[in-house]
Amino acid sequence: MAAERRLILRHIDQPGYTPDIDCYRRHGGYKTLEKALRLEAAEGPDGRRLTPQERLRQEVAVSQLRGRGGAGFPTGLKWSLVDRTSGKPIHLICNADESEPGAFKDRQILYKDPHQLLEGMILACYANEAHQAWIYIRGEFIQGARILEKALEEARRAGFLGNNILGSGYDLEIHIHRGAGAYICGEETALIESLEGRRPYPRVKPPFYPTVFGLYQCPTIVNNVETLCAVKHVIEMGGAEYAKLGSPNNTGTRIVCLSGCVRRPGYYEIETGKVTLRELIFEESFGGGLREGRRLKAVIPGGVSSRVFRAGEKVKLPSSDPSEQGAARAVDALDIPYDFTTVAAAGSMSGAGAIIVLDDTVSMVEALANIAEFFAHESCGQCVPCREGSFWISEILRRILRGEGRPQDPDELLRIARNIAGGKTVCAFGDACARPVESFVTKFEEEFRAACGARIGAPAGGE
Amino acid sequence: MREEPTDEVNAAIAEIARRYPQPRSAALMVLHFLQERFGCLTPPLIEQAAEQLGLQPVNLYELVTFYPMFRMRPAGRWHLRLCRTLSCALAGSAELHRYLCEKLGLDPSERGPQTTPDGRVTVEFVDCLARCHQAPAALCNEEEWDRVDKGKLDEFLRRLESERGDELG
Ligand SMILES: Cc1cc2nc3c(=O)[nH]c(=O)nc-3n(C[C@H](O)[C@H](O)[C@H](O)COP(=O)(O)O)c2cc1C
Ligand code: FES
């Protein structure tokens, strides 16, 4: 039977575990940082002499850790792209904007174990020689910001932040920056604009990565809350040991957020790729199945920005058996392991780990209308296809819900979605808003057509 | 409530600005601070803060008009943000929003913030609050409400009534 594997959530929700520094230290907190700061230069695998910072970065590269913010970008690779020759200061930003509908994992860490994040962040800053860092926390986490302020104060007093940390000669300051209710601020270049005091309009790429031109045009690392906690465990366990958890190219653990029509919605930490979607939804140790008498209709595997799976849908995956030379095999979408690679190969994505379950009482038209309204409201308005497209998609869906849908509306929705997706916008929001539309309408075509043809006395095909 | 920024407020703004390599970066945190302190962001407050950060007023106005959490008019003493996004909608948040709006004489089809004529309550239908496992989720001022239902809303309405009673003496 599949089970949780709690690494980051190890102490969270245990009776008596509190977010203060004493509790964290009683549970071994900041030991990894103390050790890391005492690390000395040593010879690397290729015989080259590595600085202590390089050794830490090496561990992260060896761990094959992938970012938990949504894109699954390899953290070691991101860090290796940092321009260390520019002479400009290197900045690090923790992305605590957590606003993808369906995601609520970072919040558990921020509210219940803030020092774990701080330890991971200080380690990441030290490894990258950053001396100034920020935590960008979404505006609605009012209590969360306060908990973090207190944690920062405690860490400063204990000598883990400030000048000459634990006598190592290393200086670091971390500050909190609160967002103010805009989803787009989670996109890393919008986040940087927001932190610079501007409207959060995502930046035009190239340059592709903030690791070269980020905050104040300085090399900047943006990492998610969960990623930075994983860094702490990578350094603690060693990269090779960490990489034994999970599956190849999907190492370590991930926190999965389960919501919607399941008996036990919640957050569950699993070894990446060791548990299937079916197990996550139906097993007693996870979602516990659906409510009495309900049947599964659809699963949104990675937040509302991901493509939906229809219950019973068969997806084509390249065979893992080498003798079959990658020939495609059809697998039930529910039986794919929950990781980055397989969910993507099946045509969707695991994103920030947000699974939303829909049962047979849910109208797919209503569900999509809800998602579309979110995107229409949250489009920053910078790019015309996204601003106008997201608005009209939402308007058409509202019209369908009012019973005034036209027979051509499903095709119209697809046409608009395709005119937004595929690199026509400055940031990935455009594709994010098109994916649910495209997948809902094609995979539940009948339902959308029925909703549009249901108008009594409507002339077929008429305007 | 005082309308004009005082020396003490100016000192607080300077303190926030010191956390950043460039003062403009302090804009959001300064606006949060002023809104929490004065209830809303009035033109004199915005213009004074802009001057102190070395910015043009428009540099702050464009933020106030973009970010949903900032407001130029006061909100009610109670600001209830109810989540409208998918997982909460599946748990009935639209009906709860309608119920509350009807009870308070507000427009259920409006998702943006609306305040009762007596200035007591602001209701807003917001996007995902990152507590989808405790749907329907709400934020009442700074208090996080989980699994909101009609009973919880009725309790809130009763609290408002008794508050009004207290004030009338
Ligand atoms: C529209 C949009 C919203 C995003 N929202 C978030 C978010 O709320 N939190 C987050 O960590 N990453 C978010 N991301 C991803 C970030 O751009 C960035 O890739 C991530 O923070 C990098 O961290 P990681 O490498 O540790 O995953 C978003 C991306 C897009 C396009
Ligand atoms: S959908 Fe309501 S809290 Fe996420």
Side-chain angles (χ1 to χ4, degrees):
Chain A
M1 220 181 74
E4 271 201 84
R5 174 74 166 84
R6 287 197 164 208
L7 199 64
I8 292 171
L9 297 178
R10 186 184 295 154
H11 303 302
I12 286 177
D13 298 328
Q14 275 177 2
Y17 191 79
T18 48
D20 54 277
I21 196 167
D22 293 334
C23 181
Y24 185 64
R25 294 185 78 174
R26 272 203 306 281
H27 289 78
Y30 287 112
K31 288 255 159 55
T32 309
L33 176 66
E34 286 168 3
K35 242 174 81 190
L37 289 174
R38 285 198 301 267
L39 211 62
E40 287 175 3
E43 220 165 76
D46 57 357
R48 205 168 58 82
R49 212 167 163 70
L50 298 177
T51 65
Q53 289 84 352
E54 283 173 323
R55 287 180 64 193
L56 294 173
R57 296 206 294 271
Q58 181 78 27
E59 292 302 324
V60 172
V62 167
S63 76
Q64 296 177 50
L65 172 65
R66 296 174 65 167
R68 307 306 198 222
F73 193 86
T75 308
L77 177 59
K78 181 178 284 190
W79 291 9
S80 76
L81 296 170
V82 171
D83 181 356
R84 299 176 197 282
T85 59
S86 69
K88 296 188 218 166
I90 296 166
H91 298 305
L92 187 138
I93 305 170
C94 167
N95 191 340
D97 195 52
E98 186 154 77
S99 352
E100 176 71 20
F104 42 87
K105 63 189 181 65
D106 298 340
R107 175 198 160 82
Q108 310 311 323
I109 299 162
L110 296 165
Y111 278 66
K112 300 173 187 167
D113 206 5
H115 283 285
Q116 183 180 189
L117 169 63
L118 295 189
E119 184 171 10
M121 226 177 137
I122 301 167
L123 284 164
C125 288
Y126 177 66
N128 287 288
E129 293 161 87
H131 299 286
Q132 267 187 313
W134 286 269
I135 302 174
Y136 190 106
I137 182 168
R138 64 176 294 184
E140 294 87 343
F141 285 172
I142 305 172
Q143 291 179 23
R146 219 168 272 139
I147 292 167
L148 278 179
E149 286 289 4
K150 180 164 173 277
L152 284 173
E153 195 41 51
E154 289 172 333
R156 271 182 211 118
R157 252 185 284 128
F160 298 125
L161 283 173
N163 289 336
N164 192 17
I165 295 172
L166 303 178
S168 65
Y170 173 63
D171 307 335
L172 173 68
E173 255 323 318
I174 299 180
H175 291 295
I176 292 172
H177 190 88
R178 291 180 59 205
Y183 167 73
I184 196 61
C185 290
E187 198 274 350
E188 58 190 10
T189 63
L191 185 154
I192 289 171
E193 288 288 312
S194 179
L195 193 42
E196 289 186 359
R198 279 177 250 275
R199 277 196 174 190
Y201 290 144
R203 290 183 179 170
V204 178
K205 294 103 185 154
F208 278 102
Y209 301 113
T211 41
V212 179
F213 293 106
L215 187 62
Y216 312 122
Q217 296 297 308
C218 296
T220 304
I221 294 168
V222 182
N223 272 139
N224 170 261
V225 172
E226 188 187 345
T227 311
L228 289 166
C229 290
V231 163
K232 187 228 137 179
H233 293 278
V234 166
I235 308 281
E236 183 177 308
M237 301 165 69
E241 211 43 45
Y242 183 87
K244 288 183 191 159
L245 291 170
S247 50
N249 209 15
N250 296 276
T251 59
T253 62
R254 278 192 81 174
I255 308 174
V256 177
C257 308
L258 205 55
S259 72
C261 312
V262 280
R263 278 224 184 88
R264 286 169 23 103
Y267 41 91
Y268 301 95
E269 188 171 356
I270 58 166
E271 275 193 62
T272 315
K274 290 288 175 73
V275 184
T276 65
L277 270 172
R278 187 188 303 282
E279 288 165 333
L280 283 169
I281 297 168
F282 289 99
E283 286 210 352
E284 275 314 310
S285 47
F286 297 106
L290 310 183
R291 286 178 207 109
E292 198 61 40
R294 306 279 181 88
R295 286 210 334 267
L296 186 71
K297 185 167 184 179
V299 181
I300 299 175
V304 299
S305 304
S306 65
R307 288 197 182 85
V308 69
F309 288 132
R310 189 171 40 77
E313 178 180 341
K314 295 276 183 281
V315 295
K316 287 220 172 67
L317 293 180
S319 170
S320 50
D321 184 344
S323 67
E324 293 174 32
Q325 295 187 331
R329 66 201 160 96
V331 180
D332 191 306
L334 287 188
D335 292 320
I336 59 177
Y338 196 71
D339 63 7
F340 293 101
T341 322
T342 325
V343 182
S348 189
M349 62 175 196
S350 58
I355 302 175
I356 306 173
V357 179
L358 307 178
D359 70 22
D360 57 350
T361 63
V362 178
S363 147
M364 296 310 277
V365 183
E366 275 182 40
L368 183 62
N370 183 286
I371 295 171
E373 189 178 331
F374 167 79
F375 284 112
H377 188 254
E378 298 298 338
S379 170
C380 78
Q382 188 177 210
C383 311
V384 177
C386 169
R387 182 185 67 217
E388 298 300 311
S390 63
F391 171 79
W392 284 109
I393 286 169
S394 180
E395 283 299 299
I396 292 172
L397 284 158
R398 283 166 67 126
R399 179 169 77 202
I400 298 174
L401 286 183
R402 283 199 306 270
E404 295 164 18
R406 305 171 308 173
Q408 66 270 39
D409 278 348
D411 302 310
E412 190 69 3
L413 289 169
L414 290 176
R415 192 182 64 79
I416 302 174
R418 284 170 190 151
N419 278 331
I420 307 173
K424 298 187 190 75
T425 53
V426 163
C427 83
F429 182 105
D431 291 275
C433 99
R435 281 190 294 257
V437 178
E438 186 260 322
S439 58
F440 271 65
V441 176
T442 47
K443 295 185 186 186
F444 295 88
E445 191 180 340
E446 299 281 277
E447 196 173 331
F448 279 85
R449 297 230 177 267
C452 293
R455 192 157 52 120
I456 298 155
E463 274 292 314
Chain B
M1 245 186 258
R2 276 168 308 200
E3 277 294 322
E4 290 298 318
T6 60
D7 289 349
E8 180 210 341
V9 168
N10 291 340
I13 293 177
E15 168 56 34
I16 296 171
R18 262 198 294 279
R19 296 176 206 157
Y20 299 90
Q22 297 180 8
R24 185 173 186 161
S25 281
L28 240 57
M29 291 299 274
V30 165
L31 292 173
H32 273 303
F33 165 74
L34 291 173
Q35 180 165 294
E36 267 152 38
R37 173 83 187 230
F38 296 96
C40 67
L41 298 163
T42 57
L45 285 173
I46 292 174
E47 282 155 33
Q48 167 69 29
E51 192 181 318
Q52 221 189 317
L53 295 174
L55 302 172
Q56 295 300 319
V58 66
N59 301 140
L60 293 186
Y61 279 116
E62 68 168 4
L63 305 183
V64 174
T65 52
F66 184 93
Y67 290 95
M69 284 182 78
F70 294 134
R71 55 176 181 262
M72 294 187 65
R73 271 179 303 176
R77 160 159 161 47
W78 299 102
H79 188 167
L80 187 72
R81 295 177 169 99
L82 186 63
C83 174
R84 63 155 291 281
T85 319
L86 190 54
S87 301
C88 289
L90 293 172
S93 70
E95 291 87 276
L96 293 173
H97 180 251
R98 189 175 316 118
Y99 179 74
L100 190 63
C101 285
E102 278 165 5
K103 288 275 178 184
L104 293 169
L106 301 171
D107 176 5
S109 68
E110 170 64 47
R111 59 169 289 171
Q114 337 174 44
T115 304
T116 51
D118 63 3
R120 197 173 286 270
V121 195
T122 300
V123 176
E124 193 176 351
F125 210 25
V126 298
D127 279 311
C128 183
L129 290 166
R131 281 185 280 127
C132 329
H133 59 315
Q134 299 165 322
L139 186 65
C140 182
N141 293 355
E142 302 190 1
E143 222 176 277
E144 302 183 335
W145 293 1
D146 301 335
R147 301 194 174 83
V148 180
D149 56 14
K150 274 198 181 145
K152 178 111 192 162
L153 294 181
D154 285 336
E155 194 185 301
F156 175 63
L157 292 165
R158 276 198 299 276
R159 192 152 124 201
L160 292 174
E161 271 313 305
S162 73
E163 238 179 45
R164 192 201 304 271
D166 288 350
E167 275 168 32
L168 292 176

